[in-house]
Amino acid sequence: MTTQWTTPSALGRRLQRTYVGHWFAGTQGDPYALILRAQRDDTTPYEEDVRARGPVFHSEVLDTWVITDGALARSVLTDARFGGLTRAGGRYRAELLPPAGPEVGPARAGVRGGVQADADPAVSAQDEVVVEALAEQLSRTLLGGLGDDFDLVAAFARRLPAQVLAEFLGLPAAARSRFEELLAGCAHSLDSRLCPQTLDITRTGLGAAAELRELLARHLRESGPRSAQAAVSLAVEVAAPAGALICNAVEALSSSPGQWNALRENPEKADAVVAETWWRQPPVRVESRIAQEDVDVAGVPVPADGHVAILVAAAQRDPAITPAPTKDDTGTPGQGDGGVPLGLVGDAHSTSAARTVRALSRGALRALAREAPGLRPNGTPVRLRRAPVTLGHARFPVARTGRGTPTDAGAA
């Protein structure tokens, strides 16, 4: 950790100044700043304001080029001239925002999100199958220990990813409880990369991320230090988005009883539900890239080390790339004409976490359909503030009537 973060007062002042900057830009009518202020459950109006300003909107106060055009977003995400770090190997706005998650520790050229550029992808296609099966199995265990009324976030969607990842990474039983606690402490890491969190949340996140790195390096040492780095990145970049996607899917299904009934009658439709939810309510709403050289983007010059923000949710509403929503004869949503969501576009490292999130969420939804067929909201869901990237839920009270039978629980 660099010296500018050595005292709580210095860190607190920096966080406050950065957040005030977002508020100031927002009051001047900057829609990207209003998104980063993250004080609304639905940022669609701000995203559409950005779209109305052209294919590339330059947020001058925040010095960021913002994209909502679907084809242009896909182009940037697959362009080798854009990366995760500056040319010097630094983080975006490192002087303003403290490190987060896998970024705790020295930044180095060739490293993206804590993973060495030439490291093997963290998750293979075969691994996805394993993750999905683990998610379904561990979901049944979690649900079996819950009553008829519980908070979907705290009791299920936040705990399940940690338990799946601990099993997938092969952590010893004695380390898993602490791993789950540390990952919960890193829950705001993705959002904190663009939006300053409170001082308490930031300090908790910094400490948890550092200890998480040490824990994984200690228990994965036989696989080599790069594997431990990949594990840190995977854990942090999967946990919060997976929880967000599960809750987004349940909320969408709850608003359409016919679709929930269709999933309950055929849990294998979880794949279609996850795919549709990813398009309409993605678990990562802002992708951040840095130009590695001077680049012309749709006629707009972006200088080397210029920051580009892709508003994923807005880009995926662009009919040029987005499949039209469809429903089969049971009312279950589908992917329409197909297409690949933006979270699955790019190099193997940037898509590895996204594929893991999808696999984990599929397993979770199948288990919910079988084990909690009467699941329904039991109060108003509450979304997090200062969460422009994930727009995750803070609370989601639910109730269930009826339990899955042993035969249901064992069905594949």
Side-chain angles (χ1 to χ4, degrees), residues 149-231:
D149 301 281
F150 58 92
D151 179 1
L152 186 66
V153 177
F156 184 79
R158 188 176 294 153
R159 299 193 64 195
L160 178 65
Q163 294 186 6
V164 170
L165 289 164
E167 180 71 27
F168 175 71
L169 294 171
L171 291 180
R176 294 188 181 188
S177 177
R178 186 56 180 161
F179 174 78
E180 185 174 333
E181 292 172 358
L182 293 173
L183 205 48
C186 295
H188 299 269
S189 288
L190 296 184
D191 292 301
S192 69
R193 293 175 186 177
L194 293 177
C195 176
Q197 305 297 302
T198 66
L199 179 59
D200 285 347
I201 287 175
T202 300
R203 294 183 68 193
T204 296
L206 290 171
E211 188 178 340
L212 181 66
R213 180 182 294 277
E214 294 172 1
L215 182 149
L216 290 172
R218 183 166 62 252
H219 292 293
L220 301 179
R221 68 162 63 96
E222 292 181 0
S223 300
R226 290 198 306 180
S227 292
Q229 289 175 2

Side-chain angles (χ1 to χ4, degrees), residues 249-319:
V250 171
E251 188 168 22
L253 290 169
S254 299
S255 66
S256 178
Q259 292 180 16
W260 173 251
N261 289 338
L263 176 64
R264 183 182 62 182
E265 293 167 6
N266 183 2
E268 295 308 313
K269 293 184 180 294
D271 188 15
V273 172
V274 167
E276 179 74 7
T277 305
W278 194 291
W279 275 107
R280 312 304 161 190
Q281 195 75 288
V284 174
R285 300 178 67 87
V286 185
E287 287 280 359
S288 185
R289 295 292 186 271
I290 298 178
Q292 303 300 296
E293 58 185 72
D294 293 344
V295 183
D296 181 276
V297 180
V300 177
V302 177
D305 291 331
H307 179 241
V308 176
I310 296 165
L311 303 186
V312 175
Q316 291 187 168
R317 290 195 297 271
D318 186 338

Side-chain angles (χ1 to χ4, degrees), residues 49-396:
D49 190 351
V50 172
R51 191 194 308 280
R53 299 177 186 228
V56 181
F57 164 63
H58 184 209
S59 172
E60 295 184 4
V61 175
L62 302 183
D63 198 22
T64 294
W65 286 262
V66 192
I67 294 173
T68 57
D69 180 87
L72 191 57
R74 193 182 297 280
S75 174
V76 169
L77 289 172
T78 56
D79 192 331
R81 295 175 298 174
F82 293 92
L85 299 175
T86 66
R87 292 171 297 167
R91 298 169 44 254
Y92 164 65
R93 305 190 86 187
E95 76 283 4
L96 298 177
L97 294 166
E103 296 167 341
V104 173
R108 301 182 303 284
V111 175
R112 176 186 173 87
V115 183
Q116 192 71 26
D118 59 354
D120 291 333
V123 178
S124 67
Q126 184 176 359
D127 289 333
E128 289 182 60
V129 176
V130 174
V131 167
E132 189 168 342
L134 283 173
E136 187 169 2
Q137 173 191 341
L138 292 170
S139 292
R140 292 199 298 264
T141 302
L142 270 176
L143 291 167
L146 299 176
D148 291 333
D149 301 281
F150 58 92
D151 179 1
L152 186 66
V153 177
F156 184 79
R158 188 176 294 153
R159 299 193 64 195
L160 178 65
Q163 294 186 6
V164 170
L165 289 164
E167 180 71 27
F168 175 71
L169 294 171
L171 291 180
R176 294 188 181 188
S177 177
R178 186 56 180 161
F179 174 78
E180 185 174 333
E181 292 172 358
L182 293 173
L183 205 48
C186 295
H188 299 269
S189 288
L190 296 184
D191 292 301
S192 69
R193 293 175 186 177
L194 293 177
C195 176
Q197 305 297 302
T198 66
L199 179 59
D200 285 347
I201 287 175
T202 300
R203 294 183 68 193
T204 296
L206 290 171
E211 188 178 340
L212 181 66
R213 180 182 294 277
E214 294 172 1
L215 182 149
L216 290 172
R218 183 166 62 252
H219 292 293
L220 301 179
R221 68 162 63 96
E222 292 181 0
S223 300
R226 290 198 306 180
S227 292
Q229 289 175 2
V232 173
S233 182
L234 182 69
V236 171
E237 294 179 7
V238 164
L245 186 60
I246 291 167
C247 289
N248 287 344
V250 171
E251 188 168 22
L253 290 169
S254 299
S255 66
S256 178
Q259 292 180 16
W260 173 251
N261 289 338
L263 176 64
R264 183 182 62 182
E265 293 167 6
N266 183 2
E268 295 308 313
K269 293 184 180 294
D271 188 15
V273 172
V274 167
E276 179 74 7
T277 305
W278 194 291
W279 275 107
R280 312 304 161 190
Q281 195 75 288
V284 174
R285 300 178 67 87
V286 185
E287 287 280 359
S288 185
R289 295 292 186 271
I290 298 178
Q292 303 300 296
E293 58 185 72
D294 293 344
V295 183
D296 181 276
V297 180
V300 177
V302 177
D305 291 331
H307 179 241
V308 176
I310 296 165
L311 303 186
V312 175
Q316 291 187 168
R317 290 195 297 271
D318 186 338
I321 71 163
T322 306
T326 63
K327 293 182 180 136
D328 63 20
D329 55 6
T330 66
T332 301
Q335 283 184 283
D337 297 330
V340 180
L342 294 178
L344 299 177
V345 172
D347 59 65
H349 304 297
S350 62
T351 63
S352 183
R355 290 186 287 107
T356 305
V357 167
R358 290 193 8 147
L360 198 155
S361 300
R362 288 194 298 265
L365 285 178
R366 275 206 304 272
L368 284 169
R370 288 175 172 139
E371 301 298 317
L375 191 71
R376 57 179 175 78
N378 191 29
T380 303
V382 177
R383 289 190 181 267
L384 292 165
R385 292 296 179 254
R386 301 198 188 197
V389 175
T390 62
L391 199 61
H393 287 77
R395 296 186 300 279
F396 193 161

